[in-house]
Amino acid sequence: THAYVDGRDKEVGVNSNYNGNIGIEGYLIEMGYLTNSDDYNNLVNNSKKYAEAIGNAIIKELGY
């Protein structure tokens, strides 16, 4: 939006949570395309396996 939420843009104002999440990383995991019937069916039928694999990868990466 090109809006500064730290108070520099008087029309937007200040977001009190502006500094609240600095240092926290976010990730987007693309598992397939819901418009593709094969991808959709794979995601629906194997969602538990996907969730377990993602969880295990996070645990491994964090060293737990």
Side-chain angles (χ1 to χ4, degrees):
T1 63
H2 303 292
Y4 294 103
V5 293
D6 60 359
R8 289 183 273 177
D9 187 337
K10 299 302 178 197
E11 291 182 25
V12 175
V14 177
N15 180 347
S16 60
N17 297 312
Y18 174 67
N19 290 322
N21 65 352
I22 291 178
I24 298 174
E25 296 183 33
Y27 296 89
L28 172 66
I29 302 173
E30 296 185 7
M31 308 300 291
Y33 295 96
L34 296 181
T35 55
N36 179 303
S37 61
D38 289 335
D39 286 351
Y40 175 79
N41 289 327
N42 191 26
L43 290 167
V44 169
N45 294 324
N46 298 302
S47 60
K48 186 172 180 173
K49 290 179 183 179
Y50 278 108
E52 289 174 354
I54 293 167
N56 289 336
I58 292 170
I59 290 168
K60 181 178 178 183
E61 183 65 27
L62 295 176
Y64 293 118

